[in-house]
Amino acid sequence: EVQLVESGGGLVQPGGSLRLSCAASGFTFDDYAMTWVRQAPGQGLEWVSAIRWNGKDTYYAESMKGRFAISRDSAKDTLYLQMNSLKPEDSAVYYCAKSPGDVVVVETSDYDYWGQGTQVTVSS
């Protein structure tokens, strides 16, 4: 059974930081690209970041570049998203999602498994 469990969300002030985690199980973690996707209230799904199987090639949406950092720990089968300099517009439910292979795509319909999400609220 493929399972993705996000954690680490919460309430943070503008300019603050959070580190999200996604614990993966049920598949060979190192064989697949992984992504972070978010959804703000009243908005559609927004692609945030992705990382290839090797953990070396990373990709970010333009608004996240320089602020967010995606990484993965093969030993722990865990995906991370370090978020710094958070803005109110970053408030959303953040989901981790599994690609069907090592191909990184930005089309959310292409992801085959999703976690339940973790809420991030950036507010003063």
Side-chain angles (χ1 to χ4, degrees):
E1 178 184 1
V2 173
Q3 188 172 20
L4 302 172
V5 181
E6 300 96 334
S7 62
L11 176 64
V12 64
Q13 293 184 345
S17 299
L18 285 174
R19 190 192 194 199
L20 307 183
S21 298
C22 173
S25 61
F27 64 98
T28 304
F29 183 68
D30 291 345
D31 287 348
Y32 298 91
M34 297 292 295
T35 66
W36 287 99
V37 179
R38 70 185 185 185
Q39 186 169 32
Q43 304 296 315
L45 292 168
E46 180 184 18
W47 182 85
V48 174
S49 183
I51 187 168
R52 289 195 65 191
W53 67 273
N54 59 11
K56 298 179 180 179
D57 300 322
T58 59
Y59 311 87
Y60 301 91
E62 188 65 30
S63 63
M64 290 79 171
K65 290 180 179 178
R67 299 191 300 122
F68 291 8
I70 190 171
S71 62
R72 63 196 299 166
D73 188 330
S74 296
K76 297 181 179 180
D77 288 352
T78 301
L79 177 73
Y80 301 98
L81 183 68
Q82 178 67 45
M83 305 186 294
N84 301 318
S85 301
L86 285 164
K87 307 173 182 179
E89 52 263 43
D90 293 319
S91 297
V93 177
Y94 284 72
Y95 302 92
C96 65
K98 174 184 172 293
S99 295
D102 191 41
V103 177
V104 174
V105 296
V106 297
E107 298 294 337
T108 58
S109 61
D110 291 336
Y111 307 136
D112 54 1
Y113 293 96
W114 296 72
Q116 294 300 306
T118 185
Q119 176 70 53
V120 172
T121 302
V122 184
S123 177
S124 60

